[in-house]
Amino acid sequence: MIPHTHIQLDPAFPENAPFWMPAEDEIHEEGVGFFQGVWAIFDVPLSEAAQVVADERAAATAVDAAANDATTFEYFARLIEAHNPDFPSEDPEDEAGMAALAKHGDVDSVTLCHLELGVAGLTYALAAIGCVPAASCRSHAERSWAERPVVVAAIDRVHADWLQPLVESASCGFDLDDLRPQFLTIHARSIKEMMDLAAAILAKAEHDPPPPLCWGPSSNDEQPPEDRVEVDGQQSLFNC
């Protein structure tokens, strides 16, 4: 089973939504400069994003079938997130867990690129169309900074307009985080909707490519807030 929340979602842009892109020289190996202990993922080829989306779907299908409650979902999700096809774990418990997942799909070659199940694909899909992801979380039963699956990203207005109908059709929503006001948040009630959105983004990009990437705020964009905050305790750009 895949955990679901019952939060309210709004596919419309939040009031005072920050539409912008960081300047190219603001992006470095540790991300876009607003989080601590992070790395950057941007300007991703569509083919690479498609592979992550496909791997994630296969992994989620297996985890959904193998897990019978939120606790076992968390166990199998963490197992698949840590899985490295080139260096399989020698821990007997991990091997047993992967064997249980393998009964429900081919997960041995799956890699989520150190990201979390259910938000890895959307992270890569956003990066492939010219957005700059900043953080994400699939949500956890304990010690989670997000109560629902989220991907936080810098998105300018033209890309946001391109995304909006897809966000709505996938039953996802836009939001703002008080601690991260310079980014748009895309969230959903479960990782299923997030994966559906990732697939829809790649499908649309094939026949209706998004506008070219434009670094920095455009003339039609709102400037990002001056107080750019850094959030303590962020373990990586796309994991919590």
Side-chain angles (χ1 to χ4, degrees):
M1 56 83 68
I2 291 176
H4 284 70
T5 63
H6 298 284
I7 61 168
Q8 294 296 315
L9 297 171
D10 190 345
F13 301 130
E15 185 178 357
N16 300 321
F19 301 114
W20 68 290
M21 285 289 189
E24 189 171 8
D25 60 6
E26 288 186 287
I27 301 178
H28 45 80
E29 290 183 359
E30 295 182 353
V32 292
F34 309 117
F35 294 85
Q36 295 180 345
V38 301
W39 71 91
I41 296 179
F42 69 100
D43 198 20
V44 170
L46 281 173
S47 58
E48 183 177 350
Q51 186 61 61
V52 175
V53 168
D55 279 1
E56 179 177 66
R57 182 72 74 176
T61 298
V63 170
D64 183 23
N68 52 28
D69 55 28
T71 299
T72 51
F73 173 86
E74 185 72 23
Y75 165 71
F76 285 120
R78 287 186 180 275
L79 189 64
I80 205 73
E81 289 159 1
H83 177 62
N84 184 333
D86 297 325
F87 301 97
S89 173
E90 296 182 359
D91 186 308
E93 184 175 346
D94 289 352
E95 291 181 355
M98 289 301 295
L101 288 175
K103 295 178 181 178
H104 303 286
D106 183 10
V107 296
D108 186 58
S109 61
V110 162
T111 176
L112 299 180
C113 303
H114 308 292
L115 312 187
E116 292 191 339
L117 181 68
V119 291
L122 182 54
T123 295
Y124 266 76
L126 290 172
I129 63 165
C131 304
V132 181
S136 74
C137 179
R138 62 172 164 80
S139 187
H140 308 266
E142 297 180 358
R143 301 182 64 184
S144 180
W145 64 263
E147 65 178 2
R148 74 290 191 207
V150 299
V151 174
V152 183
I155 307 174
D156 64 12
R157 185 59 191 247
V158 290
H159 284 82
D161 286 340
W162 188 93
L163 283 166
Q164 194 281 327
L166 302 181
V167 170
E168 184 169 8
S169 64
S171 298
C172 296
F174 288 103
D175 199 6
L176 294 178
D177 188 315
D178 291 340
L179 294 177
R180 307 164 180 85
Q182 61 276 83
F183 296 101
L184 270 176
T185 292
I186 298 175
H187 62 160
R189 295 185 179 91
S190 78
I191 63 170
K192 178 186 180 301
E193 291 83 7
M194 300 291 268
M195 292 188 297
D196 289 345
L197 176 56
I201 288 171
L202 295 184
K204 182 177 180 179
E206 287 291 334
H207 63 82
D208 178 19
L213 177 62
C214 181
W215 297 109
S218 71
S219 59
N220 294 324
D221 293 337
E222 297 179 13
Q223 295 286 340
E226 291 297 325
D227 295 327
R228 296 179 173 181
V229 298
E230 291 188 352
V231 181
D232 294 330
Q234 189 77 9
Q235 296 179 1
S236 73
L237 186 56
F238 300 113
N239 289 319
C240 61

